């Protein structure tokens, strides 16, 4: 038996991974340890909004690492304060708490809502979330998620989450009771297969939560930071949530997440929330560089145009191969394959040097860098086209 070049067995086997080992990335491309190049339309799971190893991220890390990595969260640091102020200035929120992962930011949002309930709503603690929703892998965020596969895992779940149906206001209304303190959702359900809430539903949800004195929590970990063509997705619906969480894109590839709240909702008291690495200057310096790049109007305009181009190319591809709808917004799109062939397409794409994701057996999800070029989109479409042609031919023979 050949000795494997890499010690795979030293890692806990938590998911099926191909044996590819990546060693380098640049923009929309990755290289493995054999020198093979891959066009990346996964980008760290919608994380690398500026592509692989962008100079502004590398420079921010290098510069900050030379002066201060962390003074401890018991003290203020300049980079953290700057990023907090920049986020507040670019959004409808008044205060932020930094975290290290999306799940941790959501865990913070859940705690903040419960604190608000304890202070202002007679101890109300229930949060209405949505079937199909995904909020992370801590116990509370798994409990908040509406992912079917999570249901039998790690029982008992954290109590206090009731699931409504996306785009069905009556299903939300039905679940409101004296214990309800908040409604929490992803404006586009990413992991479920890219299912968008309509702007109308989001507007109605805002009105309903206001009518009942409930907090509205947007999980923008996947949709935020320009992913859907505006800095934050809530802007599309022209509403202002009370709480928002960011992750993925804000760090441009490094572990940084944020819990943002309006002055009314920002009610933590000393001792309620914290964490050793939270708000460390190394990550915050990167967040600042990323926010500066992504929030530039010309950058958002180009990302939005790239999204429209990708969408129209996917629609043409779908028509050529008799596939289903293209859904999503900006550079978070899915193609309905109509058949459970997603895993096989992903495997063939990897072989062909193209990284694609299939969040559900019958769908492909596209989440390239926000600065992806038209040429790179065309290259991806060409690669996928030839895989679909082969798959179609195989079906006709079978
Ligand atoms: C909408 C949403 N919320 C939360 C998370 C969890 O983030 P993390 O994996 O950084 O904990 C994800 C990750 O995919 C996500 O897409």
């Amino acid at each position: 038996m050949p000795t494997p070049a890499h010690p795979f067995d030293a890692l806990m086997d938590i998911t099926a991974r191909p044996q590819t080992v990546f060693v380098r990335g640049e923009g929309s491309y990755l290289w493995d340890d054999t020198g093979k190049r891959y066009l990346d339309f996964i980008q760290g799971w919608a994380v690398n909004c500026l592509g692989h190893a962008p100079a502004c991220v590398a420079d921010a890390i290098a510069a900050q690492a030379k002066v201060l990595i962390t003074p401890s969260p018991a003290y203020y640091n300049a980079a953290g304060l700057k990023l907090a102020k920049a986020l507040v200035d670019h959004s409808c929120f008044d205060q932020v708490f930094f975290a290290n992962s999306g799940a941790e930011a959501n865990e913070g949002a859940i705690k903040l809502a419960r604190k608000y309930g304890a202070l202002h709503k007679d101890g109300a603690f229930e949060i209405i979330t949505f079937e199909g929703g995904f909020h992370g892998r801590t116990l509370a965020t798994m409990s908040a998620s509406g992912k079917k596969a999570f249901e039998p895992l790690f029982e008992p779940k954290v109590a206090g989450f009731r699931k409504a149906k996306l785009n069905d206001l009556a299903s939300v209304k039905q679940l409101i009771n004296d214990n309800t303190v908040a409604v929490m959702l992803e404006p586009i359900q990413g992991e479920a297969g890219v299912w968008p809430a309509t702007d109308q539903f989001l507007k109605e949800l805002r009105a309903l939560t206001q009518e009942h004195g409930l907090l509205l929590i947007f999980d923008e970990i996947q949709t935020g930071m320009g992913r859907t063509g505006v800095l934050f997705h809530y802007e599309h619906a022209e509403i202002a949530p009370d709480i928002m969480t960011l992750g993925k894109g804000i760090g441009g590839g490094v572990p940084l997440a944020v819990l943002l709240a309006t002055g009314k909702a920002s009610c933590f008291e000393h001792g309620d929330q914290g964490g050793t690495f939270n708000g460390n200057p190394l990550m915050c310096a990167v967040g600042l560089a990323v926010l500066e790049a992504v929030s530039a109007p010309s950058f958002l305009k180009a990302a939005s145009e790239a999204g429209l181009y990708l969408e129209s190319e996917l629609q043409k591809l779908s028509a050529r191969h008799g596939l289903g709808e293209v859904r999503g917004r900006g550079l978070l799109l899915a193609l309905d394959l109509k058949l459970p062939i997603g895993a096989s397409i992903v495997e063939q794409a990897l072989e062909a040097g193209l990284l694609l994701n299939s969040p559900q057996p019958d769908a492909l999800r596209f989440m390239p860098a926000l600065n992806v070029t038209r040429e790179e989109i065309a290259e991806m479409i060409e690669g996928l086209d030839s895989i679909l042609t082969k798959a179609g031919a195989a079906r006709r023979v079978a």
Side-chain angles (χ1 to χ4, degrees):
M1 213 157 109
T3 321
H6 298 282
F8 295 118
D9 289 350
L11 274 179
M12 288 193 194
D13 192 20
I14 51 110
T15 189
R17 294 177 173 122
Q19 300 237 320
T20 316
V21 177
F22 290 112
V23 293
R24 188 164 79 81
E26 191 183 320
S28 286
Y29 295 93
L30 274 172
W31 283 263
D32 71 14
D33 61 346
T34 70
K36 179 173 167 183
R37 190 177 85 150
Y38 300 77
L39 175 60
D40 187 1
F41 268 62
I42 295 180
Q43 285 289 358
W45 231 253
V47 164
N48 306 315
C49 52
L50 302 172
H52 288 285
C56 71
V57 167
D59 291 348
I61 292 174
Q64 188 62 44
K66 281 183 199 153
V67 291
L68 181 63
I69 293 179
T70 186
S72 126
Y75 303 106
Y76 292 120
N77 72 76
L81 291 172
K82 261 199 214 160
L83 179 57
K85 178 74 170 82
L87 283 165
V88 163
D89 287 348
H90 277 98
S91 72
C92 63
F93 302 98
D94 300 306
Q95 290 193 310
V96 316
F97 170 76
F98 292 115
N100 309 289
S101 71
E104 190 194 359
N106 280 341
E107 190 85 24
I110 293 163
K111 284 171 70 175
L112 193 58
R114 286 190 175 197
K115 180 79 190 189
Y116 184 86
L119 291 176
H120 304 297
K121 285 185 73 72
D122 284 337
F125 64 96
E126 280 185 5
I127 301 178
I128 297 172
T129 57
F130 288 82
E131 290 174 10
F134 181 82
H135 300 294
R137 290 174 178 278
T138 61
L139 276 178
T141 54
M142 283 181 89
S143 307
S145 298
K147 185 177 160 122
K148 274 260 168 279
F150 281 179
E151 276 174 17
L153 300 179
F154 311 118
E155 291 293 295
K157 291 283 184 305
V158 174
F161 299 100
R162 290 165 163 252
K163 309 288 176 342
K165 288 184 169 43
L166 196 67
N167 293 324
D168 180 348
L169 201 70
S171 76
V172 182
K173 276 186 193 162
Q174 238 173 33
L175 296 178
I176 296 174
N177 64 53
D178 288 347
N179 284 328
T180 313
V181 69
V183 176
M184 174 173 180
L185 83 166
E186 303 162 78
I188 297 178
Q189 292 188 338
E191 300 304 303
V194 188
W195 295 102
T198 64
D199 291 348
Q200 184 60 24
F201 177 70
L202 295 175
K203 275 194 176 70
E204 287 170 2
L205 204 53
R206 178 66 287 189
L208 181 72
T209 47
Q210 266 160 351
E211 185 191 324
H212 290 269
L214 307 177
L215 298 174
L216 181 60
I217 306 173
F218 266 40
D219 175 344
E220 292 231 26
I221 285 159
Q222 197 156 138
T223 55
M225 295 304 290
R227 178 60 50 191
T228 69
V230 288
L231 193 54
F232 306 119
H233 187 103
Y234 68 76
E235 296 167 30
H236 285 303
E238 296 173 339
I239 57 163
D242 303 293
I243 294 174
M244 174 173 78
T245 52
L246 295 175
K248 295 186 184 285
I250 179 72
V254 305
L256 174 67
V258 195
L259 163 64
L260 303 94
T262 58
K264 178 185 89 167
S266 183
C267 59
F268 279 144
E269 293 171 304
H270 290 186
D272 286 343
Q273 186 66 325
T276 302
F277 294 115
N278 300 50
N280 70 78
L282 189 61
M283 296 305 121
C284 288
V286 176
L288 205 53
V290 171
L291 181 61
E292 208 165 277
V294 171
S295 62
S298 58
F299 183 92
L300 286 170
K301 184 167 175 282
S304 173
E305 284 167 5
L308 291 173
Y309 179 63
L310 175 58
E311 190 176 349
S312 80
E313 290 301 295
L314 285 172
Q315 273 158 355
K316 286 188 224 157
L317 186 78
S318 176
R320 277 202 294 282
H321 294 276
L323 306 177
E325 67 170 352
V326 177
R327 50 178 189 262
R329 208 159 190 173
L331 287 166
L332 179 56
L333 296 173
L335 171 62
D336 177 1
L337 297 166
K338 282 195 175 160
L339 288 170
I341 54 172
S344 148
I345 288 180
V346 164
E347 203 180 306
Q348 292 174 66
L350 180 81
E351 195 57 39
L354 173 60
L355 300 183
L356 294 177
N357 166 248
S358 170
Q360 298 296 323
D362 60 354
L364 292 176
R365 174 173 44 173
F366 304 86
M367 38 191 171
L370 301 184
N371 53 9
V372 67
T373 63
R374 283 171 83 91
E375 291 71 30
E376 288 159 353
I377 291 173
E379 185 185 334
M380 184 281 291
I381 293 285
E382 201 184 311
L384 183 53
D385 201 1
S386 69
I387 293 165
L388 288 168
T389 303
K390 269 190 241 149
R395 266 206 307 279
R396 280 191 295 278
V397 170

